[in-house]
Amino acid sequence: MIEKHIVLEDIDPVVFYGVNNIHLQMVKSLFPKLRIVARGNVLKVLGDDDETERFEDNIEMMRKHVERFNTLTEEDIIDIVKGRQTKAESVKDVIVYSISGRPIKSRSANQQTLVDLFEHSDMVFAEGPAGTGKTYLSIALAVKSLKEKCAKKIILSRPAVEAGEKLGFLPGDMKDKIDPYLQPLYDALEDMIPATKLQEMMDKRIIQIAPLAFMRGRTLSDAVVILDEAQNTTPAQIRMFLTRMGWNTKMVITGDLTQVDLPRGQRSGLAEAMELLEGIEGIGFVRMEKKDIVRHKLVTRIVNAYERADKSSAKERQEGQDRHDKKETL
């Protein structure tokens, strides 16, 4: 007889044990010769050597399944114990899985281009309208790199462009003032990493979320670095950001040039960077389109409506300028 203690590292024990410990009860029924006791994230097992070793191997496979897919079902447990491929493992081209076990993967040709560019380029620019999955997909690729130990940390940043309210007028300390700008990044991470694990990673600075201004002076190595809403950077800001790149680092820069919130007359740093860096080896570009929108179907209709309005306004301005030029000539 032998007694072993198995620690369920890097996973949520609640997911592993199941609601009302239903998964644990199934495991016990599949190993009737063993005495199994669970305490928090530790499993204590007592039994003969061979059966205990087989149990330990199967538990490790179940733990890895939860770590990868963020879910475990009774069907998965049976498949693992019987040495069969689980249903989740049969799904192809998945980047990562959400905390609910939903596969996160590209859903359009341009999204797949973003995934491919990330694999083969050290720097990727992804520009396109709202709802095309630029930020979400980029964060999924970063989480995948972290899980596969291709990167040691994830650094997410956004320019804190004021829209209607001055930072000084908002309540709270500096973190309270800035966090609303960064909330979309938190939302995406919370969909992919269990809350307890995410908080631990942020406490250890494995995952860092900071405004663009906080990037100055840093060298970012062994990381996946994402700059979101890059259309709201000035040329000087994006130049500063791009030159933070260190060894073994990948950068993804996302933005929508139709939603620039900079003061009138100020050129977007994203537009300038995409022009200047086009054709440089090691830098990839993907331009998302309306057909790539994966949000509610109304988002596509809203984008179309605003595009029509923009074209109409541009046409009126051009006609007004032509009339003005004609008068000047006369």
Side-chain angles (χ1 to χ4, degrees):
M1 296 288 283
I2 186 173
E3 180 178 304
K4 282 197 173 185
H5 291 77
I6 303 168
V7 180
L8 303 173
E9 296 179 335
D10 299 323
I11 63 169
D12 185 350
V14 175
V15 176
F16 187 91
Y17 296 142
V19 178
N20 296 324
N21 288 331
I22 189 170
H23 297 161
L24 181 60
Q25 298 306 320
M26 171 165 278
V27 169
K28 288 180 177 181
S29 69
L30 292 169
F31 292 89
K33 296 178 182 179
L34 299 178
R35 184 168 179 264
I36 303 164
V37 179
R39 291 285 185 273
N41 69 331
V42 178
L43 282 171
K44 185 171 75 172
V45 56
L46 181 67
D48 66 62
D49 291 6
D50 291 342
E51 190 71 357
T52 300
E53 185 177 345
R54 189 171 78 90
F55 173 81
E56 189 174 15
D57 290 342
N58 279 276
I59 289 297
E60 176 59 15
M61 285 189 282
M62 292 176 206
R63 188 200 66 78
K64 286 182 176 179
H65 189 281
V66 173
E67 184 181 25
R68 180 182 176 189
F69 302 112
N70 289 318
T71 187
L72 186 69
T73 67
E74 294 172 70
E75 184 181 353
D76 294 332
I77 293 170
I78 293 171
D79 286 339
I80 289 169
V81 171
K82 291 186 177 296
R84 300 190 300 237
Q85 185 182 52
T86 65
K87 189 175 180 179
E89 290 171 326
S90 65
V91 182
K92 304 298 182 183
D93 301 322
V94 177
I95 301 171
V96 291
Y97 287 78
S98 73
I99 58 173
S100 63
R102 174 178 56 84
I104 298 170
K105 56 196 295 189
S106 62
R107 295 171 60 182
S108 71
N110 283 328
Q111 284 192 0
Q112 185 58 46
T113 298
L114 172 56
V115 174
D116 295 339
L117 286 173
F118 182 85
E119 294 296 324
H120 301 105
S121 305
D122 289 333
M123 183 179 291
V124 179
F125 285 82
E127 191 277 328
T132 50
K134 306 181 298 296
T135 303
Y136 192 81
L137 209 59
S138 299
I139 292 177
L141 290 165
V143 170
K144 179 185 179 184
S145 295
L146 195 62
K147 285 190 171 188
E148 295 180 350
K149 303 189 187 308
C150 298
K152 293 181 179 178
K153 55 183 177 282
I154 297 173
I155 300 170
L156 309 175
S157 187
R158 268 187 163 202
V161 174
E162 298 170 355
E165 290 183 286
K166 298 292 184 182
L167 281 175
F169 294 157
L170 296 174
D173 59 18
M174 182 55 72
K175 184 178 185 302
D176 294 330
K177 296 173 189 290
I178 288 171
D179 270 357
Y181 292 99
L182 307 175
Q183 190 58 48
L185 305 180
Y186 288 111
D187 290 344
L189 285 170
E190 287 169 354
D191 195 33
M192 300 175 202
I193 303 174
T196 304
K197 185 66 177 177
L198 177 58
Q199 187 58 54
E200 179 186 335
M201 287 179 162
M202 296 184 73
D203 291 341
K204 293 180 177 178
R205 297 186 62 75
I206 296 171
I207 295 178
Q208 304 172 29
I209 304 178
L212 178 59
F214 289 24
M215 296 293 107
R216 187 173 296 279
R218 300 183 64 183
T219 299
L220 309 175
S221 300
D222 298 311
V224 177
V225 187
I226 299 172
L227 175 61
D228 191 34
E229 297 289 338
Q231 77 276 3
N232 288 327
T233 61
T234 65
Q237 286 174 328
I238 201 164
R239 181 178 180 177
M240 176 274 292
F241 175 82
L242 297 178
T243 54
R244 302 304 93 202
M245 191 174 193
W247 294 107
N248 191 36
T249 287
K250 285 181 179 283
M251 281 188 167
V252 183
I253 300 92
T254 70
D256 178 4
L257 289 173
T258 68
Q259 294 191 27
V260 178
D261 297 318
L262 295 169
R264 186 178 295 275
Q266 173 70 68
R267 193 179 187 204
S268 167
L270 176 61
E272 180 176 280
M274 291 182 72
E275 288 178 13
L276 291 174
L277 303 179
E278 185 86 56
I280 292 181
E281 185 179 354
I283 302 179
F285 296 85
V286 58
R287 290 171 172 82
M288 302 289 193
E289 302 172 6
K290 289 178 289 184
K291 65 183 180 182
D292 300 304
I293 292 175
V294 292
R295 290 181 185 167
H296 194 285
K297 59 186 178 182
L298 282 178
V299 175
T300 304
R301 298 172 190 170
I302 291 168
V303 170
N304 287 336
Y306 274 96
E307 279 191 358
R308 287 194 297 270
D310 289 342
K311 288 177 181 178
S312 177
S313 297
K315 183 179 179 182
E316 290 176 3
R317 285 196 298 272
Q318 186 60 51
E319 290 174 349
Q321 185 63 46
D322 291 344
R323 287 194 295 270
H324 178 270
D325 293 342
K326 187 176 182 180
K327 288 181 181 178
E328 289 289 319
T329 303
L330 294 175

